[in-house]
Amino acid sequence: MTVMETTGTRTDSCGGPPQAQRRPDGEDSYTISEVVAFTGLTAHTLRWYERIGLMQHIDRSHTGQRRYSNRDLDWLDLVGKLRLTGMPVADMVRYAELVREGDHTYGDRFELLEATRRDVLARIAELHDTLAVLDRKIAFYGEAHAYEKEKAG
């Protein structure tokens, strides 16, 4: 059972639109190497995510090989987006725990994601300020370079 399957009544799509190369639900049994190819994560990272509780226990084949589903890929897509926000791993693990606990944790999940959103907006503002400084420097050096070329030529 995946993290997403543990939330009773409402489902929340974790990732973006389905990827064309994915198999249809019911036929979606991916090896760890296939998931590495889909996600760009390493096998070590996937095992670590499972070990720390960021991913629920992954189904296994009769030989003990991990078998990931489309829902697992959706979850990994969300985790990738959360990583890009700069969310600490501990907060991502907490979010996964809240999802597994069920619908009564919507408020806590909302607060966690809202705090992350505020952090992202603050980082975007910082990046806009940094971009403005770069633009000023580029304009200055561009004008200085053009002046030097004109003077020399």
Side-chain angles (χ1 to χ4, degrees):
M1 181 174 287
T2 66
V3 171
M4 293 307 298
E5 291 170 332
T6 61
T7 62
T9 57
R10 291 184 65 193
T11 50
D12 173 26
S13 175
C14 286
Q19 298 174 2
Q21 62 269 37
R22 288 190 183 183
R23 298 179 191 123
D25 289 343
E27 299 173 24
D28 56 332
S29 179
Y30 305 98
T31 64
I32 199 165
S33 59
E34 290 173 313
V35 175
V36 164
F38 275 120
T39 64
L41 298 170
T42 65
H44 174 78
T45 298
L46 292 168
R47 289 185 202 102
W48 180 65
Y49 281 180
E50 189 178 352
R51 192 169 47 251
I52 66 171
L54 190 51
M55 293 196 68
Q56 181 123 357
H57 176 75
I58 302 299
D59 288 336
R60 304 281 182 136
S61 70
H62 69 282
T63 59
Q65 286 186 315
R66 287 173 175 81
R67 294 293 181 199
Y68 294 82
S69 69
N70 286 333
R71 289 188 153 232
D72 296 323
L73 294 178
D74 289 343
W75 179 257
L76 287 168
D77 185 54
L78 174 64
V79 168
K81 299 291 189 274
L82 294 176
R83 286 179 56 217
L84 286 174
T85 69
M87 179 186 274
V89 172
D91 286 349
M92 287 189 277
V93 170
R94 177 68 183 136
Y95 181 80
E97 290 168 348
L98 290 169
V99 169
R100 285 191 290 269
E101 288 176 25
D103 294 349
H104 70 279
T105 65
Y106 279 171
D108 291 333
R109 288 186 247 173
F110 175 85
E111 290 173 15
L112 185 58
L113 293 176
E114 270 291 309
T116 301
R117 184 177 190 280
R118 285 190 300 273
D119 292 344
V120 168
L121 289 172
R123 284 187 26 231
I124 289 171
E126 288 176 311
L127 287 172
H128 279 294
D129 290 343
T130 303
L131 184 59
V133 169
L134 288 172
D135 287 343
R136 285 192 303 272
K137 288 294 190 183
I138 290 168
F140 171 80
Y141 289 120
E143 290 171 13
H145 181 66
Y147 175 75
E148 290 295 319
K149 275 178 73 174
E150 184 179 304
K151 195 168 111 175

